[in-house]
Amino acid sequence: FVCNSRDITNQKNAEDALRESEEKYRTLIESAKDPISLYDENGIFLMANKAGAHSLGEEPTDLMGRSLRDFFPPEIAKKQIELIKKVFSTEEGLDIEMFAPYGGKDQWFITSLQPIYGYDNHVNSVQVVSRDITDIKETQIKLEQALKDKDMLMKEIYHRVKNNLMVISSLLN
């Protein structure tokens, strides 16, 4: 008999740590209420969490390999893909506010696009995290309109006071 043995304790510990880390990452991504997705350079889904998939009316597994063009109007999909390509080319993240008409209603999102690096230290995918800020944006638009109305009223009051002072000045003269 020939017996050859090797201590693989370190390898097993590293595999367990990797498995635990992946499970934490998966739990974190899946429990997020904000849509989180990974895309390749052409805007093809590599991964999406439940919130992201459900916001598009799909299940996460149904999105894999599909393009943003399958879900958004051409001009919106083109803009999103251009942003993804920009992250690939510059290797720097972006934070933008984006308008997206989807599902018959207008929505606003604050979106963060971050590069994900591969083993070769080059960007191999882009992580996109979006937060729906439609309510905030609608409130902001209403406040801006109220401010314009208030400004117009102030100008009208100023004009009337000025006219009244002119009448008093004329009477005194």
Side-chain angles (χ1 to χ4, degrees):
F1 287 98
V2 175
C3 182
N4 187 4
S5 63
R6 186 175 68 177
D7 184 11
I8 60 169
T9 305
N10 290 340
Q11 180 181 346
K12 285 294 186 185
N13 289 342
E15 288 174 0
D16 290 344
L18 179 62
R19 196 174 304 110
E20 184 180 330
S21 175
E22 184 175 330
E23 187 60 34
K24 284 180 186 176
Y25 171 76
R26 188 170 310 284
T27 302
L28 179 66
I29 295 298
E30 288 303 322
S31 66
K33 293 184 187 330
D34 294 330
I36 301 173
S37 306
L38 284 180
Y39 298 95
D40 72 0
E41 190 169 7
N42 298 312
I44 305 295
F45 283 92
L46 301 175
M47 186 278 305
N49 70 345
K50 287 179 186 175
H54 292 168
S55 71
L56 297 172
E58 300 283 339
E59 289 299 319
T61 54
D62 298 334
L63 291 179
M64 300 313 125
R66 294 180 69 186
S67 174
L68 286 167
R69 290 184 175 96
D70 297 338
F71 299 99
F72 294 98
E75 65 278 354
I76 301 294
K78 181 180 178 186
K79 181 179 179 185
Q80 291 173 342
I81 292 169
E82 286 173 358
L83 291 169
I84 289 169
K85 288 183 182 214
K86 183 176 181 179
V87 172
F88 267 92
S89 65
T90 63
E91 297 188 354
E92 293 180 4
L94 294 171
D95 292 315
I96 60 161
E97 196 172 277
M98 178 181 282
F99 173 75
Y102 183 75
K105 66 178 192 175
D106 296 340
Q107 293 179 301
W108 285 91
F109 291 93
I110 186 86
T111 302
S112 175
L113 295 93
Q114 298 299 323
I116 304 293
Y117 295 92
Y119 294 112
D120 57 356
N121 287 331
H122 292 300
V123 177
N124 66 359
S125 61
V126 172
Q127 175 182 299
V128 177
V129 180
S130 297
R131 174 159 289 175
D132 186 348
I133 58 167
T134 304
D135 294 338
I136 295 169
K137 202 64 174 163
E138 288 173 352
T139 303
Q140 180 183 0
I141 291 168
K142 287 177 184 174
L143 285 172
E144 287 172 357
Q145 184 60 43
L147 182 61
K148 286 179 186 176
D149 291 346
K150 196 174 197 178
D151 198 30
M152 183 188 70
L153 287 173
M154 290 299 290
K155 287 179 182 178
E156 180 65 26
I157 290 170
Y158 172 77
H159 179 70
R160 287 182 183 201
V161 168
K162 182 179 166 187
N163 284 347
N164 287 340
L165 288 175
M166 291 293 282
V167 168
I168 292 171
S169 176
S170 295
L171 289 172
L172 289 174
N173 284 336

